[in-house]
Amino acid sequence: MTGDAAQCRPRLGCGAVVIRTDGKLLLGKRRRAPEAGCWGWLGGKVEWMEAVQDAVAREIREEADVEIRIVRLLCVVDQFETELTPPQHWVSPVYLADHIAGDARVMEPGAIEALGWFDASSLPQPITHAVRVALPFLAGGKPADQSRSYEAHRKAAL
């Protein structure tokens, strides 16, 4: 496989909808591309030979100094980043998780601009593709259509 072909594979991400006992959801405002300036679930990359649920807990601990308990798999987000060079394709399981301990504070200021706890009915804007995909699952409604490209999702959200 050539170097270019090696870059043309999906990458594995992960994330979680972290819910506090008062029902508020934890979101972080992204500082980096893709989706810089958008509010999204915390998460990141799954490392080689790391269980996905362990990666979710590690990423949230590293980003926000928060401990979580995974409740269940909420959905899988299929995300296409065609504006990046080279383009990227991410497949990311998103879990529902309970907040166990820790005050949410920015631990990775190069990646996250701000953190906050929000009611699902009044989320800050703009939100990431992953938030748009996961919200219907959280509400028990109809899952978001992921059959269109990521660019189509972004245009529809604007």
Side-chain angles (χ1 to χ4, degrees), residues 3-18:
D4 289 339
Q7 293 177 356
C8 296
R9 291 179 180 249
R11 299 172 76 181
L12 182 59
C14 62
V17 179
V18 179

Side-chain angles (χ1 to χ4, degrees), residues 7-149:
Q7 293 177 356
C8 296
R9 291 179 180 249
R11 299 172 76 181
L12 182 59
C14 62
V17 179
V18 179
I19 302 180
R20 213 165 48 181
T21 55
D22 62 3
K24 293 194 178 204
L25 311 176
L26 178 61
L27 282 90
K29 188 173 185 182
R30 296 181 56 88
R31 190 178 295 278
R32 295 185 197 147
E35 300 182 295
C38 293
W39 290 86
W41 314 126
L42 299 183
K45 299 174 190 165
V46 178
E47 302 295 337
W48 175 251
M49 299 303 288
E50 181 179 34
V52 177
Q53 291 184 1
D54 292 341
V56 172
R58 174 186 53 76
E59 286 285 350
I60 292 171
R61 187 178 320 107
E62 289 174 358
E63 293 176 343
D65 197 27
V66 165
E67 296 296 326
I68 63 167
R69 181 181 62 82
I70 300 290
V71 175
R72 65 180 172 88
L73 178 65
L74 191 62
C75 65
V76 176
V77 175
D78 202 15
Q79 187 157 342
F80 302 90
E81 297 295 345
T82 57
E83 78 279 2
L84 297 178
T85 304
Q88 295 179 5
H89 175 196
W90 287 90
V91 177
S92 302
V94 176
Y95 290 87
L96 182 62
D98 289 332
H99 172 257
I100 299 300
D103 296 326
R105 57 191 181 110
V106 175
M107 302 296 292
E108 294 181 349
I112 298 173
E113 184 177 329
L115 293 169
W117 295 95
F118 302 95
D119 288 318
S121 61
S122 58
L123 296 178
Q125 297 296 319
I127 57 175
T128 63
H129 173 67
V131 172
R132 285 191 303 278
V133 170
L135 279 177
F137 288 94
L138 188 61
K142 182 180 176 189
D145 176 16
Q146 292 195 65
S147 63
R148 296 178 291 160
S149 71

